[in-house]
Amino acid sequence: MTAAATALCGCVDTAVEVGARRPSPSAERHKPLSRPGVSPHGASVALASIEGAPDEVLARFRPIFARTAESRDIATAGEAEAAYKLRGYLTAYAGPEGATRLGYVFDVFEHDGRRAQRLSDEVAAKGAGDPWSALGEQELAELAARSADDLAAFLSNTPEALAAAGGESGVTIATATHPAPPAQGGVKPLGFAEAK
């Protein structure tokens, strides 16, 4: 599983350009850990795009991911107001012995466009043949849960989330370079209206 997840790491940067469904390995997967007692809500996110899968799969995945992310206390704002921007890519391929693997790569970008974090993982799906046709609601829900958990964990460690939580001893918050998250009225539940 780790090797296959590693294979996904370059897909946001390269797969769309070359048309590949399964990109080459480029970096080792890193899973962030949630900061205890800090909600990710203070670091708003704008969903810039999610692609890679057929339209029908994306149409099923988006609302599942939105509900799951909202349940993790992740808030979004428009790209101009959000502290971070999220670009996602889904992939599915036949793994060993014909088992289907469904994976994601989410790149989280800072407000100035620098990539702050790459999140990736995959889940197994039953069935063989066309990998996309093997994906049921259970597999999509598991993928949404893993990606939302990773995103919430990353956001809970950001300067914006720490500032919103009142900081903690030994943590310097003054290094934040992002604009403050919008006032409560400007933050909305994670939706995909802004997705392209």
Side-chain angles (χ1 to χ4, degrees):
M1 179 168 159
T2 301
T6 302
L8 290 171
C9 290
C11 68
V12 174
D13 296 331
T14 61
V16 175
E17 295 155 8
V18 299
R21 286 196 185 242
R22 189 169 179 210
S24 301
S26 66
E28 189 172 328
R29 185 174 159 267
H30 171 72
K31 196 164 189 75
L33 299 174
S34 292
R35 185 175 292 270
V38 178
S39 168
H41 194 81
S44 59
V45 175
L47 181 68
S49 65
I50 186 163
E51 49 195 33
D55 290 343
E56 182 270 332
V57 174
L58 291 176
R60 290 164 53 210
F61 179 75
R62 286 178 176 134
I64 295 170
F65 178 71
R67 287 190 305 271
T68 306
E70 185 176 358
S71 75
R72 270 54 169 189
D73 205 24
I74 296 171
T76 61
E79 286 193 37
E81 299 85 24
Y84 297 91
K85 180 168 61 174
L86 185 66
R87 292 189 181 278
Y89 189 88
L90 302 183
T91 188
Y93 62 93
E97 301 176 9
T100 296
R101 308 296 296 182
L102 170 64
Y104 71 85
V105 173
F106 281 155
D107 280 334
V108 186
F109 294 91
E110 296 181 356
H111 195 68
D112 62 6
R114 288 182 292 188
R115 187 170 69 193
Q117 183 72 48
R118 171 163 281 181
L119 309 168
S120 66
D121 205 348
E122 64 176 31
V123 298
K126 297 177 182 175
D130 173 29
W132 294 116
S133 65
L135 304 178
E137 296 306 303
Q138 180 179 345
E139 290 84 9
L140 292 175
E142 185 178 351
L143 195 72
R146 289 190 188 193
S147 55
D149 285 344
D150 284 353
L151 180 59
F154 166 74
L155 293 173
S156 74
N157 286 282
T158 61
E160 297 82 5
L162 291 170
E168 42 180 76
S169 73
V171 176
T172 303
I173 299 171
T175 59
T177 57
H178 311 295
Q184 196 64 8
V187 176
K188 56 190 174 193
L190 183 62
F192 286 80
E194 293 84 13
K196 297 175 183 175

